[in-house]
């Protein structure tokens, strides 16, 4: 969905002398951050000043997921309208103007705006990717992705400096246009979630009730399953599969095989890397061609990280120990793939997870002994064929919306950079 703009280029440009800024309009200047902001470095306690989180979406009351320190008395004061930026490169893009009075951890830099500047204009400037690249160039530390840019360096970074009236004009324009883009993006995200829920309901209905609504039902005898078609038979999952098969292939150590870190398993796809038997060490999970592989840890399990292993090197694969493997015996492996995605199974599995923190695991005992209704082989194939077609259409629609979000996100980034550096002229 296009976003209409009312922008044109300036008539005359000059070299700013600053690489990340490039050319600027003839009547613009550049200045150092220290000329438009003062550092606020007052130490306070979170007992008096509520804890805030510095995120990519701005400054918000402290998130439940935020790492908390015992040293709540050693924080930095933040006042309303201060600009706060996380100095660490692994928190790239975490910054914004605070609407709250509160406190933040010492890793953040708090800036109080001086007079004769538009804070919103510089908020957009600091959120541009080119500025982020420049900002972290001025940092220092032990490793490339974990260093910090302190105020002593930050205050000397050059930024564009148009006239105050134009700063305000650009900020107002970007507020309007970025708001339009954000609303379109949120609409697309909502539609994606609805499509995912629709897909989930189709899968759940098909693998637990079948496709023929007129089929007589019977009581399964299991509370969480309820009624199933009369011809379906109740099994435990372990009776339909070989669960976590052991490695029994006689392979040479230098034979290429597939390796699957957790990030390779997404949305019914398995994008393996290459390794050899001799390089596989420690705790791992073995799988082979046509096995169904499922993540057992949160949030990977909740996100549906599951796939059928295909195109494996020498038909052999190894993965993280945080995977469960199912080798189909008397069940269609694609029916099994869909079944393990159905909402009833997932909800039960999540309710029985064990462990602490963000890495709770689905119990192997629960999975193996899970009872479900299974149709005969022919009906499994019919259901699988139906779901392949329906889910393919839904996935295609989701993919189109995700692509639109990507395009809008990139357009927004480009729009911000080109406006704050004068590559495009905002016309009131």
């Amino acid at each position: 969905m296009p976003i209409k703009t009312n922008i044109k280029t300036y008539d005359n440009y000059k070299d700013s002398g600053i690489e990340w800024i490039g050319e600027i309009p003839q009547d613009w200047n550049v200045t150092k951050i220290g000329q438009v902001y003062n550092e606020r470095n007052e130490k306070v306690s979170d007992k008096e000043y509520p804890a805030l989180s510095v995120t990519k979406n701005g400054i918000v009351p402290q998130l439940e997921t935020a790492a908390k320190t015992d040293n709540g008395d050693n924080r930095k004061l933040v006042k309303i309208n201060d600009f706060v930026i996380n100095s660490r490169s692994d928190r790239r893009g975490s910054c914004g103007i605070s609407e709250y009075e509160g406190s933040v951890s010492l890793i953040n830099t708090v800036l109080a705006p001086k007079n004769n500047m538009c804070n919103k204009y510089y908020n957009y400037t600091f959120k541009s990717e080119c500025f982020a690249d420049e900002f972290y160039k001025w940092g220092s530390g032990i490793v490339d992705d974990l260093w910090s840019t302190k105020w002593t360096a930050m205050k000397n970074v050059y930024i564009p400096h148009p006239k105050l009236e134009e700063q305000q004009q650009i900020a107002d324009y970007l507020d309007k246009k970025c708001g339009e883009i954000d609303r379109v993006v949120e609409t697309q995200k909502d539609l994606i979630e609805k499509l995912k829920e629709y897909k989930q309901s189709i899968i759940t209905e098909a693998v637990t009730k079948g496709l023929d609504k007129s089929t007589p039902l019977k009581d399964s005898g299991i509370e969480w399953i309820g009624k199933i078609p009369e011809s379906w038979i109740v099994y435990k999952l372990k009776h339909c599969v070989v669960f976590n098969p052991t490695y029994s292939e006689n392979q040479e150590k230098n034979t290429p095989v597939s390796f699957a870190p957790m990030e390779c398993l997404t949305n019914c796809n398995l994008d393996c890397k290459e390794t050899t038997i001799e390089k596989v060490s420690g705790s791992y999970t073995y799988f082979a061609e046509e096995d169904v592989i499922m993540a057992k840890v949160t949030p990977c399990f909740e996100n549906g990280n599951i796939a059928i292993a295909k195109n494996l090197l020498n038909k052999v694969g190894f993965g993280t120990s945080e995977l469960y493997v199912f080798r189909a015996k008397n069940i269609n492996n694609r029916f099994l793939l869909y079944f393990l995605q159905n909402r009833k199974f997932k909800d039960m599995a999540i309710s029985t997870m064990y462990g602490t923190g963000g890495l709770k695991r689905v119990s192997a005992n629960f999975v193996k002994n899970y009872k479900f209704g299974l149709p005969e082989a022919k009906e499994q194939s019919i259901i699988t064929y139906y779901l392949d077609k329906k889910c393919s259409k839904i996935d295609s629609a989701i993919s189109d919306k995700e692509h639109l979000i990507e395009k809008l996100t990139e357009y927004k980034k480009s729009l911000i950079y080109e406006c704050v550096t004068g590559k495009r002229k905002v016309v009131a």
Side-chain angles (χ1 to χ4, degrees):
M1 184 179 298
I3 302 293
K4 294 182 180 179
T5 61
N6 186 24
I7 304 177
K8 64 180 182 180
T9 59
Y10 291 79
D11 295 328
N12 297 303
Y13 287 86
K14 64 184 179 184
D15 185 1
S16 69
I18 309 301
E19 184 179 359
W20 83 267
I21 299 174
E23 290 189 333
I24 56 175
Q26 195 68 39
D27 62 345
W28 283 33
N29 295 308
V30 295
T31 190
K32 293 180 178 180
I33 292 176
Q35 296 299 311
V36 292
Y37 286 97
N38 289 316
E39 183 188 23
R40 191 184 301 284
N41 201 24
E42 183 180 343
K43 301 295 172 56
V44 296
S45 168
D46 60 5
K47 298 180 182 68
E48 299 177 70
Y49 294 90
L52 303 174
S53 288
V54 183
T55 75
K56 291 183 179 181
N57 293 320
I59 315 306
V60 298
Q62 189 174 63
L63 302 172
E64 287 296 323
T65 55
K68 298 175 178 61
T69 175
D70 294 332
N71 193 6
D73 295 328
N74 193 23
R75 296 175 65 81
K76 288 184 180 179
L77 173 66
V78 176
K79 291 191 174 181
I80 294 173
N81 207 41
D82 281 352
F83 182 85
V84 189
I85 185 169
N86 194 302
S87 65
R88 277 178 39 165
S89 58
D90 65 329
R91 298 293 187 270
R92 179 188 177 98
S94 297
C95 61
I97 297 172
S98 181
E99 298 178 356
Y100 310 92
E101 184 169 270
S103 62
V104 293
S105 65
L106 300 183
I107 198 65
N108 299 291
T109 300
V110 182
L111 304 179
K114 293 184 179 182
N115 295 326
N116 298 316
M117 59 86 80
C118 175
N119 201 17
K120 274 191 175 182
Y121 165 78
Y122 285 111
N123 178 48
Y124 281 114
T125 302
F126 295 154
K127 283 184 177 294
S128 70
E129 288 196 341
C130 290
F131 171 80
D133 291 340
E134 180 70 12
F135 177 65
Y136 291 114
K137 281 182 185 177
W138 291 70
S140 59
I142 299 174
V143 293
D144 289 346
D145 61 345
L146 272 180
W147 61 7
S148 299
T149 305
K150 306 297 184 185
W151 171 246
T152 51
M154 181 183 182
K155 66 182 180 181
N156 292 312
V157 176
Y158 279 97
I159 50 178
H161 191 60
K163 293 176 182 177
L164 179 59
E165 180 181 354
E166 196 161 6
Q167 290 180 31
Q168 187 65 57
Q169 191 175 2
I170 292 170
D172 290 344
Y173 176 83
L174 287 175
D175 278 350
K176 179 183 177 183
K177 290 303 176 185
C178 290
E180 291 176 6
I181 294 169
D182 290 343
R183 284 190 289 275
V184 175
V185 167
E186 285 307 309
T187 298
Q188 298 307 306
K189 287 181 177 179
D190 288 343
L191 290 171
I192 287 172
E193 288 307 308
K194 288 177 181 177
L195 284 168
K196 287 180 177 178
E197 283 300 316
Y198 176 54
K199 177 181 175 181
Q200 185 67 240
S201 67
I202 287 175
I203 291 173
T204 300
E205 183 71 14
V207 301
T208 60
K209 301 296 183 184
L211 304 179
D212 187 352
K213 305 299 183 186
S214 65
T215 298
L217 302 178
K218 66 180 180 183
D219 187 359
S220 67
I222 303 164
E223 182 181 353
W224 65 84
I225 296 179
K227 291 186 177 182
I228 58 174
E230 273 188 346
S231 62
W232 291 24
I233 300 173
V234 174
Y235 287 97
K236 287 185 178 180
L237 193 54
K238 66 183 178 182
H239 296 144
C240 301
V241 302
V242 177
F243 182 72
N244 282 354
T246 57
Y247 178 63
S248 59
E249 302 286 340
N250 185 18
Q251 296 280 346
E252 296 293 334
K253 282 195 172 183
N254 61 355
T255 301
V257 294
S258 295
F259 180 69
M262 187 65 76
E263 63 269 17
C264 292
L265 181 63
T266 57
N267 194 28
C268 295
N269 291 312
L270 184 64
D271 185 15
C272 291
K273 300 178 180 180
E274 182 177 343
T275 188
T276 59
I277 299 294
E278 62 186 355
K279 291 182 180 178
V280 177
S281 60
S283 180
Y284 61 81
T285 300
Y286 160 74
F287 53 89
E289 196 85 0
E290 297 298 328
D291 286 348
V292 177
I293 307 164
M294 181 182 78
K296 64 180 177 181
V297 295
T298 54
C300 298
F301 175 81
E302 292 161 319
N303 291 338
N305 289 22
I306 184 172
I308 294 176
K310 289 185 178 294
N311 303 315
L312 301 180
L313 293 170
N314 288 300
K315 302 188 182 299
V316 177
F318 293 88
T320 167
S321 60
E322 302 296 358
L323 298 171
Y324 285 142
V325 178
F326 306 85
R327 183 165 297 164
K329 290 194 304 184
N330 59 335
I331 186 171
N332 182 307
N333 67 343
R334 288 201 63 78
F335 182 88
L336 176 62
L337 178 75
Y338 285 120
F339 176 80
L340 293 172
Q341 296 175 69
N342 91 76
R343 176 52 61 194
K344 290 184 178 180
F345 172 76
K346 289 180 71 174
D347 285 347
M348 283 292 294
I350 290 169
S351 71
T352 59
M353 279 183 163
Y354 66 95
T356 58
L359 282 179
K360 292 184 178 180
R361 293 167 176 81
V362 177
S363 162
N365 187 58
F366 163 79
V367 173
K368 289 189 294 184
N369 291 291
Y370 184 83
K371 292 181 179 179
F372 69 105
L374 183 66
E376 62 178 20
K378 183 178 179 180
E379 189 174 355
Q380 290 179 44
S381 296
I382 293 171
I383 291 172
T384 296
Y385 178 72
Y386 165 81
L387 289 176
D388 282 346
K389 290 199 301 181
K390 294 288 288 187
C391 292
S392 177
K393 289 180 180 179
I394 296 171
D395 288 341
S396 179
I398 290 173
S399 179
D400 288 345
K401 295 183 183 307
E402 288 174 338
H403 183 58
L404 176 57
I405 290 172
E406 288 175 7
K407 288 174 65 176
L408 287 170
T409 301
E410 288 305 310
Y411 172 70
K412 178 181 173 182
K413 291 176 183 177
S414 174
L415 184 67
I416 290 172
Y417 174 75
E418 292 180 3
C419 287
V420 299
T421 60
K423 306 296 184 294
R424 296 190 186 187
K425 184 177 182 179
V426 173
V427 180

